[in-house]
Structures are given as C-alpha cells and as structure tokens.
Amino acid sequence: MSPSAAIPPSPFRFNPDDEYNRRLLANVHPHDWVNPRPNGRYNLVVIGGGTAGLVAAAGAAGLGAKVALIEKQWMGGDCLNVGCVPSKALLRSARAAVDVRDAARFGVGVSGATVDFAAVMERMRRIRAQISPHDSAARFAALGVDVFFGEGRLLGGDRVQVGDAVLSFAHAVIATGGRAAVPPIPGLSDAGFYTNETVFSLTALPRRVAVIGGGPIGCELAQAFRRFGAEVRLLEQHGRILNRDDAAAAEVVHRALVADGVTIRCGAVVRHVSGGEEPHILLADERGEESLTVDAILVGVGRAPNVEGLGLEAAGVAYDGRRGVIVDEHLRTTNRRIFAAGDVCSPHQFTHAADAMARVVIHNALFGGRSRADALIIPRCTYTDPELAHVGLSEGEASQRGIAIRTFRHEMAGVDRAVLDGEDAGFIAIHVKPGTGAILGATIVARHAGDLIAEVCLAMTGRLGLGTLAKTIHPYPTRSELIKRAADAYNRSRLTPRVKRLFTQWLSWTR
C-alpha cells in the first residue's frame, strides 16, 4: 500500500473496516449515540476524551461532582487509538521476531520462521478493541458522566457549546491533546506520508521505508519495521538520534538499531520530496546531496497542540500554536475557572503525565487545592529494544543549570540476570546531590528500562535517598539488581580514607 493511498482516519471510521475496528468504534464513538440533554450547571466540563480528560471526568464523578465530557472524535484519545496501545502491540511482535531470529544463541534451532505482517496488524487491532471498553462512552455514562460527542467551543468564561446544546459550568478543563506535527518539506504532502495517526491502518508491509525524525516515535517504529523485514532509513537532522536524552544512552540505542539493520543518517536535512507510488527524497548534509527512492514515508518529528476551534479567545484563555494552552504551576489558565491538562499544555507529552496532571486539576478545580504540576516526578521512556528511560535531571541539564551532581553508574553487563538472558546491553546512571544520597535524576538504558525506572521514581517521590535503595533487598537474579549495584557504589563512596583509617584502628583494637 503506497503512502499516497493511505486513508486518513475519520471520526467515524477506522481502517481497515474489519470486526475489530468496528468493535473499537462501537466503544469509542458509537454510531447510534444520542447526546444527553444538558443537566443544569456542571461542577466540571471536560473538553477532550483522551487520557487527561477521561481521568479528570471519572475522578470528579467518583467524588460526587456533576460532570460533562465532550469528545469530537474518539474516546481514549491518541493513546488507545493511534498511540501507546497500537504501537506497543507492534513492538511486541517485532521483539518476538528478533527473539526467533536470535534463538540459536541460546541453543535453540528455528527454521522457516517468517513475519506475517497482516497477522501482526490484525493482532494489534484485536488487542486494541479488547482494551477499548475501559475508555468507552458507555462506561463513562455508567460512571455518571454526561458524554457528548461533537466539537466543544467555549462561548465565554462559564459556558461551552457542543452541537445545539450549551453547557454551563463552575469549572472546565481543556484536555484536547495534540496531533502529529508535519514538517514544512516541499512536496511531502503531495507525495503522501504516514504519521502515528495513519500508520496503524497498514495491512501490507512496505518494502522500503524512510522514517523522518530520530525521536522516540521515529526510533521505535524504525526498529519495528526493520524487524518485520522492511528496508529502513532513519533520517535525523540533528547530530544524533534521541537528542533530548543522555548521549551515552542514545548511543546504546543507536548501536542496537544499526545491529538490526536500520540505516541511520544524522545531520541530514530533507530538502524535497517528489513522486507518488515511489516517493523520491532529496537529502542534503555536509557531504552533499543524495536521492532516496522509497515505498513509504513515516513522519515522526514531534507533536502540535490541539488549540484550534475551541473558542479560547472568547473565554480569555491564552495560548500559542507551539506551547499550547498557557497554564500556571497549578494548571490554571488565564481564565481562573478553566484549567488544562495533558498534551495540550504540557511539554511532558506522555499518557502517565496526562493522568497525573488530571489528578492535580481535580484537586485544584473542585476543592480549591494548590497542588503543583511542576512538583510531579515524571519519567519518560522510549520503547526501543533496549529501552531508554529517564527521570529528573540529566547530566546535560544539570550542567546547563549550573547544578552540581555526582553520578553513580553501573553497566548492565555486571548484572547476572542480564548476562544469563543475553540482554546485557546498557547501563544505569543515577545523579545525586554531592555529599548526600538525594536523587536528582537517573537514566537507564536496558531491556525493560521503563519498568526499572519506577523504583527510582518512587525513591524521588518519597524523598528516599540512594542509601535507602542500597539497604533495600532486591531478589536475585533479577535486572533490578542494576539499581542495587549503583546504590552500593554510593555507599562505598562514603568510605573515605579518613573513615577507613578509623575503622582500621577500631578493628585492630577489638581483635
């Protein structure tokens, strides 16, 4: 299927039109849904039915608030429909493919194994449909939320219109999320391309794929499509992939992608795209120009906030096209009745961040709280293989801000379970305040790094120092010993020459 033939998703259709997508749509935007009549003044009107909106609506309703939820497209937002859920289903299939490929390393002979891409995509659609009832319109109606489908537009400081209905509110939260950003490359739109919002409609594997953007989305899908059997070129205009992350950790991921057969071109600018069935991409870097011919282009260069058509001006809500809705540390907008949460207002564009921000909004909007979103400990993870997870300050950020740190690092190759599993690429680096065990940040690059980073997040949230992690008993053999080893290194650092001399003297006296 060529990029030019890709059908963009519709508010009322998923492609292909099979039983799984019909089941999904029946949950996230039922064709026979009838909007309720407005029910007086609402404690909270939520505009947007993605993660932030759903958590805010369910949480507020559960506390006894009168809540209305407005969604113009799909309940569940990007995460369920075109983001976390479908992408991780694909990554799991890609990991299965590489495990079969590498089975001989473990003394297991496998022959004749192939990737059935159509079956991979069908599995993704089946699992997505299976998960969708949790975010369904019917479930939220059962929770006591008035669910309205349509475009919500603020009419002023305390009213919003959806269809012919006008809802009045004491407070509202804007949770309209974001969308895939598209770079202004000449000829790109005419040639056709995929983003995360359309790539999951594929049913046949493109033979040659160009991925524009070496961020998390680009790296994850580049590796997956290569493991499925496509020829993949990853094009990044910066000097390296994952340029927001620790350089050493990004290099581990870079080597893994190259080992899988992904061709990575950094420092390359896409000048022009032409053609339809077989798009031609003109690249330029310090070595000159090069032309590539591909079958599909996947764009993964970031996100743009959904702020258009919401009537923000009428409500006195400040915003801009790049940062989205402007909020303070309490997630209040320039209209004190209206809050915002999730991708529409946050640089932390993750499902778990949207969830956490929605909880801040519930506290502050309904109960006059002063919870601060800027105090949240928010990790991030790129789900390549190995994964790259990070929380708090990085070494580069600490240097830019003039914050002194001390780093304790341990290699995954020194963890027995990782060696036994043949998954010993990567490391952990934990940054602490010098002279203390107070954790300021950490980076983990390893298989299942996203699971491992949670322990560090807990320690930071509970203000537990690295010494506490050192005292924590970790089961052997597990990958979690990676954290224990870094914490042990901190403990050893406390044994200064002077302390050691004192210990030596004491032990000599007590012999």
Side-chain angles (χ1 to χ4, degrees):
M1 180 180 181
S2 70
S4 57
I7 303 172
S10 145
F12 310 108
R13 181 183 63 229
F14 287 90
N15 296 302
D17 181 20
D18 66 1
E19 61 174 302
Y20 304 119
N21 278 342
R22 288 193 292 271
R23 188 188 309 167
L24 171 66
L25 192 59
N27 283 318
V28 300
H29 195 141
H31 73 277
D32 56 352
W33 187 266
V34 177
N35 285 343
R37 294 191 178 192
N39 185 18
R41 186 175 176 84
Y42 291 94
N43 295 104
L44 189 68
V45 168
V46 181
I47 305 175
T51 298
L54 295 183
V55 172
L63 293 170
K66 184 185 292 187
V67 181
L69 172 67
I70 301 170
E71 170 54 44
K72 74 173 184 178
Q73 191 173 34
W74 303 317
M75 299 281 285
D78 271 18
C79 183
L80 170 67
N81 298 294
V82 295
C84 313
V85 170
S87 67
K88 302 314 169 278
L90 260 61
L91 296 184
R92 182 62 185 91
S93 293
R95 181 155 57 90
V98 82
D99 284 345
V100 171
R101 182 194 72 189
D102 295 343
R105 293 194 299 133
F106 302 94
V108 178
V110 178
S111 61
T114 59
V115 174
D116 183 339
F117 184 75
V120 166
M121 299 302 282
E122 181 178 302
R123 174 184 179 273
M124 176 274 293
R125 296 192 299 272
R126 173 171 53 80
I127 293 175
R128 182 172 61 179
Q130 177 184 332
I131 292 172
S132 65
H134 183 75
D135 292 350
S136 67
R139 174 176 179 263
F140 277 77
L143 292 175
V145 176
D146 286 352
V147 178
F148 294 82
F149 282 102
E151 295 193 24
R153 184 176 182 84
L154 292 161
L155 300 178
D158 63 353
R159 293 179 303 143
V160 60
Q161 182 171 0
V162 53
D164 295 330
V166 175
L167 317 182
S168 64
F169 57 80
H171 291 96
V173 54
I174 299 166
T176 49
R179 62 186 182 277
V182 179
I185 299 172
L188 179 62
S189 296
D190 292 335
F193 60 92
Y194 293 96
T195 67
N196 71 288
E197 295 170 2
T198 54
V199 71
F200 300 112
S201 66
L202 280 170
T203 55
L205 180 69
R207 185 169 64 88
R208 299 164 298 180
V209 179
V211 179
I212 300 176
I217 293 174
C219 287
E220 289 174 10
L221 292 180
Q223 186 177 46
F225 275 85
R226 178 62 194 133
R227 288 178 168 187
F228 292 146
E231 299 174 16
V232 178
R233 296 278 192 107
L234 180 58
L235 312 176
E236 170 55 55
Q237 66 176 349
H238 294 98
R240 64 177 178 88
I241 63 170
L242 301 174
N243 67 332
R244 288 185 57 201
D245 287 292
D246 176 90
E251 177 59 27
V252 174
V253 175
H254 183 115
R255 290 197 299 267
L257 266 61
V258 170
D260 276 328
V262 177
T263 299
I264 300 177
R265 184 86 174 266
C266 292
V269 177
V270 178
R271 297 290 192 197
H272 187 267
V273 179
S274 61
E277 290 297 320
E278 293 188 341
H280 301 284
I281 299 174
L282 180 63
L283 293 175
D285 61 14
E286 59 185 13
R287 295 175 295 176
E289 293 186 340
E290 179 185 356
S291 180
L292 303 177
T293 301
V294 297
D295 299 294
I297 298 172
L298 173 62
V299 174
V301 296
R303 309 270 294 161
N306 291 325
V307 293
E308 298 82 3
L310 296 175
L312 299 178
E313 298 89 348
V317 174
Y319 70 97
D320 69 37
R322 183 178 60 86
R323 291 186 297 163
V325 174
I326 309 302
V327 294
D328 64 13
E329 63 272 21
H330 307 293
L331 299 182
R332 194 187 300 271
T333 71
T334 47
N335 180 325
R336 294 187 63 81
R337 290 181 178 272
I338 300 175
F339 293 74
D343 291 5
V344 74
C345 67
S346 173
H348 306 290
Q349 301 200 341
F350 319 114
T351 295
H352 50 274
D355 181 308
M357 294 171 72
R359 296 166 194 265
V360 170
V361 166
I362 291 172
H363 184 219
N364 293 347
L366 299 184
F367 302 103
R370 302 291 291 173
S371 295
R372 297 175 64 104
D374 58 354
L376 297 172
I377 303 297
I378 300 176
R380 65 175 184 263
C381 185
T382 298
Y383 296 93
T384 46
D385 186 9
E387 296 175 357
L388 197 168
H390 175 78
V391 65
L393 277 178
S394 68
E395 192 171 357
E397 290 168 338
S399 177
Q400 291 173 4
R401 299 182 193 181
I403 299 173
I405 60 171
R406 185 171 186 185
T407 300
F408 295 92
R409 175 173 168 143
H410 192 80
E411 300 295 325
M412 202 69 181
V415 177
D416 291 353
R417 179 59 183 271
V419 175
L420 292 167
D421 287 348
E423 299 169 356
D424 57 356
F427 63 86
I428 186 172
I430 301 183
H431 313 301
V432 302
K433 183 178 180 180
T436 76
I439 302 171
L440 300 179
T443 293
I444 303 176
V445 57
R447 238 189 195 190
H448 307 295
D451 295 307
L452 294 173
I453 201 74
E455 183 176 351
V456 182
C457 297
L458 173 63
M460 294 177 68
T461 301
R463 298 185 179 180
L464 306 175
L466 203 49
T468 300
L469 295 184
K471 290 187 292 186
T472 302
I473 299 172
H474 294 71
Y476 175 89
T478 62
R479 291 176 179 84
S480 65
E481 285 190 288
L482 181 69
I483 298 170
K484 170 78 169 179
R485 298 292 180 84
D488 284 344
Y490 161 74
N491 268 353
R492 288 192 297 273
S493 74
R494 300 167 69 187
L495 187 63
T496 63
R498 179 176 180 275
V499 172
K500 188 172 183 179
R501 283 197 305 271
L502 292 173
F503 282 174
T504 301
Q505 290 175 2
W506 168 257
L507 293 171
S508 67
W509 294 338
T510 57
R511 277 199 292 269

